[in-house]
Amino acid sequence: MAGIRLHVVAPLVLVAVKKCARDPSPYVRKCAAYALCKLYDLLPEENTTLEEVVDVLLGDSSSGVVGAAAVAFNSVCPNGLALIAKHFRKLCETLPDIEEWYQITLIEILLRYVIARHGLVKESAIFASNLSWEIQGAKDSVPVDNMSCIQTETVVNGACGTFSSMTLLRHYIDEYSACFDGEGDKIRSPSITTSTNEDVAILLKCTSPLLWSQNSGVILAAASVHWIMAPVQEVKIIVGPILFTLRSSPDATYVMLGNILVFAKTAPLLFAPYYEDFFICASDPYQTRALKLEIITTIATESSIPAILEEFQDYIKDPNRRFVADTVAAIALCAEKLTCVTSTCLEGLLALVFYESSIANSVHLDGEDVVLVQAILSIKAIVKIEAACHEKVIIRLVRTLDVIKEPAARSLIIWIFGEYSSTGNLIPRIAPAVLKYLAWSFAAEVLETKLQILNTCAKVIIHAAEEHLQEFKRIVAYVIQLAACDLNYDVRDRARFLSGLLPFCANENDSSCRSQNADVCKELADHIFDGKIHSASNSDSNYRIYLPGSLSQVVLHAAPGYAPLPKPQSMVLIHKTMESTRGVDNSSDSNNSDAESGSSANESGSLYDSESESGDLSDRDGTGSKQYSNDDGHNLHLQEGNQEAPLVNMYDGSVGQGHAGQVDENLASLISTDLTELMSKSALESWLDEAPTTPLVQNSIQASCARVSFTTRSFERKPKLHVLLDPLNSNGLSVLYAFSSEVSPNSRLLVCIDLFVENVTPDQLADISIKSEEASTSEHGMETSEGSASIPTTVQMEEIQSLAPQQTAKRVLQVHFHHHILPMKLSIFCNGKRHPAKLHPDIAYFVRPLPMDLNAFLCKENQLRGMFEYARRCTFKDHLQNPEHTEESVDNTDKNLLVAQSLASKLLSNANVHLVSMDMPVTFSIDDASGLCWRFCSEVLSSSNPCLITVVAEGHASGPLDLTIKVNCEDTVFGLNLLNRVVAIIE
């Protein structure tokens, strides 16, 4: 029953769930817990009642019911952590007995509760400095005599390639800045606790056995609790279970490696003794190999680097060239981190460059140059640390220019030569020969190499000694002349730039070289080409860390539904605030004792009630409620009293699922860009390509979208004319008909049809009348003949006595179709002759316009969900053929507005509906029409049931649009037929 998404049934299901939550059978109570998740989507206004049922189920004695209650808790009240207070100890004790996937959910809830109630543990990893991590990790793998050496080296070199402990706190905790005082990174003492805290100790004790679970997800969830809450000395117990999961399926291995990488970057020596567990297997996919390489590079130490480099030598022989390039990059990172192996790594990389260059010249395969380029990039990164000590390496690399033909590799070598052309004693000696070689080969080089040669010429001549200056000037002038005549514009532009920037080398006989401008240009050239190279910022500083075990940690971005840990001790602070607020209210309102008695009875419940209320306030304050809406977003609502004028308002797209009264109440917090909006449940369901019913009211703010709504009555209706009688078949009598939007004065069930009778003959026609063959006409048009009640009924129409040549007469035919969609047979009499004709009914006129404002439309649409909702997709192209959609009009009119007017005019001209609103999203792209929304409302003639039509567009205004048309109507058959008709009208 809970799966039936009908608001009519939902209250009955709620009553049944409340009763089943106390049923003697644990299976029934478990099913009641599952039903709570579905009920919350239909009845979010009953969240208080649902929370009470969750509270009952959390205290259940059956482990299966407790697991299902944890799932219901996450769906109904994920931020109501006050519910866990009186069940905490029992939940911890039941944790090992519940099902595995329920354990993951319950562990997350208990962890969030402990942090919100007691705060973070002072001895945990978040507050441990990198130095303490290094020492702690070294105690298990290094003799005590070497501890002083490790400590000294750590202080000197720092924790290269690791995250700081404050980075974990910044990325794990919500409202990170609120946890600190105004003195830098000094955390406030009330926000922390100790590992001796009773709740913390129980949580750690109950999750320790789960580290050896058969489910890798449970192991990771338990490990995350110890990583965040356990003291540093006890965190090492997670290493063995985590490494054991690497023997499971490839998917689980990849997820676990992504979390190990974060652990290793914070505590490298925690996994350092187990570096062999991260050696790569032949069956590992590329993604797993990349993670293992990064972990090995992070945890490498002086004792393990020989074995790691020996392993890397085998990886270089792998047939996957992309993986070989990653291995070469890992060798460079190891050389940068551990200076003891720098020379060894350089020799190996140079040998690899010579080998790869020979392969590239003999075998031309796609991807072969990746390893060569990466090897040169690695040498460049190592040499940059201390270039003076590696000038022989630079010379050996430059000498390979005659062998290496790969443009990217040649550009890198030329850059290295130009950057360090004045370094040491050997490189300046070979500079003239190298520069002559570059000038000689300039014409045959590709674009990127030519540009690099020009830059190198500028660098060399800036640092040139006096004995070589004149020679360099002639060479550079020659290269610039070649570049000025090059076919590529970029090369010519670079030549003109250098010739203006280096006038002292353009022509040695030019007297302008000695002018004052030459000094300015030389200083500018020094600033551009001789600037100090700043050390590359550590990529880890921009690396976003997410909670262990979360989907966001796998996909490396904030996935919908992700929520950081709560603010430490937020429950205690809010509880104190609530108590102080209640004290002020009681003292100020003491005179109104009668009025207070009812409210005080509601507020003076148990401690759980007060904590639950305070938890709700915490959620609103943390996500940008009405109280703080002015700081988080800009809200705009403009409305004019004149109904004929356009109505423009900015509103949130999610308001469509709320009540009309609540829409106005929540307008202050509609437009927001907070991260929590992307993590709401509705955003997660949309991300999974589902289309659930959005709750009427939600505790968390839904994703918002700024829109502009236009409502106007200035659309011109152009009804389409249909041929009822062809003059070729009726001796010159032409009869056309068009469905009218006018309301019949006789009955609301009648459809008005305008008939246009024209005499196209030169003779006069007389006695023209139209009658139905299927039913006799009634003078008042209220009854049918003796036939079936489903046969159309017509009202007697006035007869045309005579019709002069080329004269046209208009008559109105009123028909009650009874939802009859088959052609209606008519007889047209003229001059005593009968002419048969067929009138094709249009279901789009079996309705009449129903005036309704936007709030009422959204409220009614929310009621007509599930089986009363039908949708189809189609393509709209009329805006491309519209003569008004020209370049002149587009220059002065918004493209989206033209598209919106075109579709609205077409639908209003072919259907008897009322335009409720026409919404355009506020986008940064003029041509982007995605999000255009039209809402039409009508009322079925026969049943007076409302029929709602919603059209949403996707695509660009300059091309065909993909439309999604949705009809909400209680008459199922009629709604489906109307949907098909609307699609036919638009296409």
Side-chain angles (χ1 to χ4, degrees):
M1 289 180 65
I4 303 176
R5 303 181 63 85
L6 293 178
H7 290 273
V8 180
V9 182
L12 302 177
V13 179
L14 178 59
V15 175
V17 167
K18 292 171 62 177
K19 182 178 180 181
C20 292
R22 295 173 172 83
D23 194 88
S25 174
Y27 182 78
V28 175
R29 300 197 298 271
K30 182 178 179 180
C31 293
Y34 287 141
L36 288 175
C37 306
K38 301 179 180 180
L39 274 179
Y40 181 72
D41 291 339
L42 291 175
L43 299 174
E45 66 276 4
E46 299 289 344
N47 57 342
T48 304
T49 305
L50 297 176
E51 287 180 11
E52 294 176 358
V53 180
V54 172
D55 185 23
V56 173
L57 294 173
L58 285 175
D60 200 280
S61 58
S62 174
S63 58
V65 178
V66 172
V71 176
F73 177 87
N74 269 353
S75 300
V76 176
C77 49
N79 297 314
L81 297 174
L83 286 174
I84 309 297
K86 57 183 178 181
H87 306 294
F88 178 78
R89 180 180 291 274
K90 184 177 180 180
L91 292 175
C92 290
E93 295 173 353
T94 313
L95 186 59
D97 300 328
I98 64 177
E99 299 179 24
E100 292 177 344
W101 293 112
Y102 294 154
Q103 288 175 345
I104 300 174
T105 303
L106 188 55
I107 288 174
E108 179 187 0
I109 294 173
L110 296 177
L111 175 62
R112 296 173 64 85
Y113 165 77
V114 171
I115 293 177
R117 181 68 180 272
H118 304 288
L120 296 167
V121 177
K122 185 177 181 181
E123 303 90 349
S124 63
I126 292 182
F127 298 103
S129 64
N130 290 329
L131 179 59
S132 63
W133 272 116
E134 299 283 347
I135 296 175
Q136 179 64 30
K139 287 181 181 180
D140 300 329
S141 57
V142 183
V144 179
D145 296 339
N146 298 335
M147 287 300 300
S148 59
C149 299
I150 293 178
Q151 182 174 355
T152 304
E153 184 178 354
T154 304
V155 173
V156 173
N157 297 331
C160 180
T162 61
F163 292 130
S164 65
S165 56
M166 287 302 171
T167 304
L168 294 179
L169 181 61
R170 181 181 302 109
H171 291 172
Y172 284 172
I173 307 298
D174 190 14
E175 298 186 10
Y176 161 80
S177 58
C179 301
F180 292 88
D181 296 327
E183 304 175 0
D185 287 341
K186 184 178 180 181
I187 193 166
R188 296 188 305 175
S189 56
S191 298
I192 59 176
T193 183
T194 61
S195 58
T196 59
N197 184 282
E198 184 178 359
D199 288 347
V200 175
I202 293 176
L203 180 62
L204 295 175
K205 180 179 178 181
C206 293
T207 53
S208 295
L210 300 182
L211 290 171
W212 302 103
S213 173
Q214 296 180 353
N215 190 311
S216 57
V218 177
I219 295 175
L220 187 54
S224 64
V225 173
H226 287 261
W227 176 253
I228 296 172
M229 301 298 293
V232 175
Q233 297 79 6
E234 301 177 6
V235 173
K236 60 183 180 181
I237 67 173
I238 71 174
V239 176
I242 287 179
L243 294 179
F244 181 77
T245 59
L246 298 181
R247 299 175 177 86
S248 57
S249 64
D251 297 336
T253 301
Y254 175 76
V255 174
M256 194 63 67
L257 286 173
N259 290 273
I260 291 176
L261 180 60
V262 177
F263 298 157
K265 286 188 175 182
T266 306
L269 292 184
L270 189 63
F271 292 89
Y274 310 97
Y275 64 91
E276 294 182 352
D277 291 330
F278 301 103
F279 284 171
I280 293 166
C281 303
S283 59
D284 288 340
Y286 172 76
Q287 291 78 7
T288 302
R289 294 184 176 193
L291 286 177
K292 284 186 175 181
L293 272 180
E294 191 170 359
I295 294 173
I296 292 174
T297 306
T298 303
I299 65 177
T301 59
E302 292 185 4
S303 60
S304 62
I305 193 62
I308 291 175
L309 291 180
E310 185 177 356
E311 186 76 10
F312 284 170
Q313 291 179 7
D314 294 334
Y315 298 164
I316 291 176
K317 302 174 185 178
D318 194 271
N320 188 340
R321 308 297 291 170
R322 184 181 177 188
F323 171 61
V324 174
D326 292 343
T327 304
V328 173
I331 293 174
L333 292 176
C334 291
E336 293 180 49
K337 179 180 179 182
L338 302 171
T339 56
C340 61
V341 294
T342 300
S343 59
T344 305
C345 293
L346 280 175
E347 289 296 331
L349 291 173
L350 281 173
L352 183 62
V353 168
F354 298 145
Y355 175 73
E356 290 293 332
S357 61
S358 63
I359 293 179
N361 294 332
S362 60
V363 182
H364 299 281
L365 297 175
D366 293 337
E368 291 292 334
D369 57 331
V370 176
V371 179
L372 176 61
V373 173
Q374 184 59 57
I376 299 175
L377 281 172
S378 301
I379 295 175
K380 170 187 170 184
I382 298 174
V383 168
K384 183 175 62 176
I385 299 175
E386 195 172 357
C389 299
H390 304 295
E391 57 176 338
K392 292 184 179 180
V393 176
I394 298 176
I395 293 175
R396 293 173 61 184
L397 199 60
V398 171
R399 293 177 64 180
T400 60
L401 280 174
D402 202 16
V403 180
I404 297 177
K405 304 302 180 183
E406 174 60 34
R410 291 178 64 86
S411 300
L412 284 171
I413 296 174
I414 294 171
W415 182 92
I416 294 174
F417 166 73
E419 190 67 28
Y420 305 109
S421 59
S422 61
T423 302
N425 298 322
L426 300 177
I427 299 179
R429 295 180 185 178
I430 67 170
V434 176
L435 206 60
K436 290 179 183 179
Y437 171 79
L438 296 178
W440 170 77
S441 63
F442 181 84
E445 301 288 353
V446 298
L447 172 61
E448 55 181 325
T449 309
K450 288 180 179 180
L451 296 176
Q452 201 59 250
I453 290 175
L454 289 172
N455 294 342
T456 299
C457 290
K459 295 177 182 178
V460 170
I461 201 170
I462 289 174
H463 302 96
E466 290 295 334
E467 62 269 17
H468 300 298
L469 183 59
Q470 297 302 324
E471 183 180 7
F472 285 159
K473 284 184 179 181
R474 290 193 296 270
I475 297 174
V476 173
Y478 171 73
V479 173
I480 291 178
Q481 290 178 4
L482 288 178
C485 303
D486 196 86
L487 295 178
N488 189 276
Y489 171 80
D490 293 331
V491 178
R492 299 197 305 270
D493 183 67
R494 186 68 58 86
R496 285 192 294 268
F497 171 73
L498 292 179
S499 62
L501 189 64
L502 306 173
F504 55 86
C505 66
N507 188 356
E508 59 180 347
N509 298 325
D510 192 356
S511 60
S512 62
C513 296
R514 305 181 185 275
S515 62
Q516 295 181 356
N517 291 336
D519 297 334
V520 176
C521 291
K522 188 176 186 306
E523 183 179 357
L524 183 59
D526 291 338
H527 181 75
I528 294 176
F529 294 103
D530 195 26
K532 300 298 181 182
I533 303 176
H534 300 284
S535 59
S537 59
N538 190 1
S539 60
D540 293 338
S541 61
N542 298 325
Y543 189 86
R544 184 71 172 90
I545 307 172
Y546 299 93
L547 290 175
S550 62
L551 176 63
S552 300
Q553 183 59 47
V554 179
V555 299
L556 299 181
H557 63 82
Y562 174 80
L565 294 175
K567 180 181 175 182
Q569 292 193 351
S570 56
M571 291 176 56
V572 177
L573 297 176
I574 294 175
H575 179 63
K576 292 180 180 178
T577 305
M578 288 293 297
E579 291 295 333
S580 60
T581 304
R582 290 176 184 176
V584 173
D585 293 341
N586 292 334
S587 61
S588 60
D589 298 339
S590 58
N591 295 332
N592 301 331
S593 57
D594 296 336
E596 265 188 41
S597 58
S599 60
S600 61
N602 295 330
E603 295 178 355
S604 62
S606 60
L607 176 62
Y608 153 70
D609 294 332
S610 63
E611 289 180 348
S612 176
E613 294 173 359
S614 64
D616 293 340
L617 289 178
S618 172
D619 299 339
R620 293 195 294 266
D621 293 340
T623 57
S625 63
K626 290 176 61 178
Q627 186 177 357
Y628 300 100
S629 60
N630 292 332
D631 297 333
D632 295 337
H634 302 284
N635 305 315
L636 177 62
H637 182 71
L638 304 176
Q639 183 174 358
E640 298 181 4
N642 187 5
Q643 296 181 355
E644 300 297 333
L647 173 65
V648 183
N649 60 344
M650 298 283 288
Y651 69 99
D652 189 280
S654 62
V655 180
Q657 313 300 334
H659 290 298
Q662 294 168 342
V663 171
D664 294 333
E665 181 181 355
N666 295 327
L667 279 177
S669 59
L670 293 179
I671 301 176
S672 175
T673 57
D674 192 31
L675 181 62
T676 55
E677 299 175 356
L678 301 176
M679 304 170 183
S680 63
K681 180 180 177 183
S682 60
L684 176 60
E685 292 176 336
S686 344
W687 185 61
L688 295 176
D689 291 334
E690 297 180 2
T693 303
T694 307
L696 301 179
V697 179
Q698 291 186 356
N699 293 335
S700 60
I701 300 179
Q702 300 177 349
S704 63
C705 177
R707 297 174 174 273
V708 180
S709 178
F710 294 88
T711 301
T712 178
R713 299 182 181 178
S714 61
F715 289 105
E716 182 180 357
R717 295 177 182 263
K718 300 178 181 178
K720 184 178 180 180
L721 293 176
H722 306 273
V723 177
L724 182 63
L725 186 62
D726 195 320
L728 298 178
N729 300 327
S730 58
N731 297 329
L733 179 64
S734 173
V735 181
L736 303 178
Y737 71 93
F739 287 89
S740 174
S741 59
E742 297 180 359
V743 179
S744 172
N746 297 324
S747 173
R748 61 180 181 83
L749 303 177
L750 299 176
V751 177
C752 294
I753 304 173
D754 294 333
L755 300 178
F756 302 93
V757 183
E758 182 181 4
N759 183 5
V760 297
T761 65
D763 301 328
Q764 186 173 355
L765 300 178
D767 300 330
I768 301 174
S769 62
I770 300 176
K771 297 181 180 180
S772 173
E773 293 184 0
E774 300 177 348
S776 61
T777 58
S778 171
E779 293 184 359
H780 303 287
M782 301 302 294
E783 299 291 341
T784 63
S785 63
E786 298 178 357
S788 173
S790 62
I791 297 177
T793 304
T794 60
V795 178
Q796 184 176 0
M797 189 180 66
E798 182 182 357
E799 183 179 350
I800 302 176
Q801 299 296 335
S802 63
L803 193 62
Q806 307 303 323
Q807 184 182 359
T808 302
K810 178 182 178 181
R811 292 291 185 269
V812 177
L813 177 64
Q814 302 178 40
V815 186
H816 184 198
F817 284 101
H818 299 282
H819 289 187
H820 194 72
I821 58 176
L822 297 177
M824 178 180 178
K825 296 181 181 180
L826 297 175
S827 296
I828 302 177
F829 297 91
C830 178
N831 292 336
K833 294 183 179 181
R834 173 183 170 275
H835 305 284
K838 289 185 178 180
L839 188 149
H840 296 270
D842 191 347
I843 196 173
Y845 286 88
F846 290 2
V847 295
R848 61 174 172 271
L850 179 62
M852 183 182 295
D853 61 359
L854 179 59
N855 293 337
F857 181 94
L858 298 175
C859 182
K860 192 64 180 178
E861 182 187 30
N862 190 51
Q863 298 174 3
L864 298 176
R865 295 289 187 183
M867 59 184 298
F868 299 145
E869 184 174 283
Y870 333 100
R872 277 190 60 185
R873 298 183 66 89
C874 66
T875 304
F876 180 65
K877 301 179 182 179
D878 280 16
H879 63 287
L880 302 178
Q881 305 172 359
N882 192 343
E884 297 179 357
H885 195 73
T886 59
E887 295 184 359
E888 292 82 4
S889 61
V890 171
D891 292 338
N892 300 323
T893 308
D894 188 88
K895 291 183 179 180
N896 290 342
L897 183 58
L898 292 176
V899 173
Q901 292 176 347
S902 177
L903 187 139
S905 178
K906 183 172 184 179
L907 195 56
L908 290 174
S909 299
N910 294 274
N912 198 16
V913 294
H914 169 73
L915 177 62
V916 178
S917 68
M918 186 173 63
D919 306 336
M920 296 194 305
V922 180
T923 62
F924 295 100
S925 176
I926 299 177
D927 191 47
D928 187 11
S930 298
L932 277 173
C933 180
W934 298 263
R935 294 182 177 90
F936 302 90
C937 184
S938 59
E939 187 179 27
V940 183
L941 294 178
S942 59
S943 60
S944 298
N945 290 330
C947 187
L948 313 179
I949 303 174
T950 305
V951 183
V952 181
E954 295 180 5
H956 297 277
S958 58
L961 295 178
D962 293 330
L963 302 183
T964 301
I965 304 174
K966 182 181 65 174
V967 174
N968 297 82
C969 182
E970 292 185 15
D971 296 342
T972 305
V973 178
F974 181 84
L976 289 172
N977 291 332
L978 180 62
L979 175 62
N980 295 331
R981 175 56 183 157
V982 173
V983 171
I985 292 173
I986 293 178
E987 289 185 339

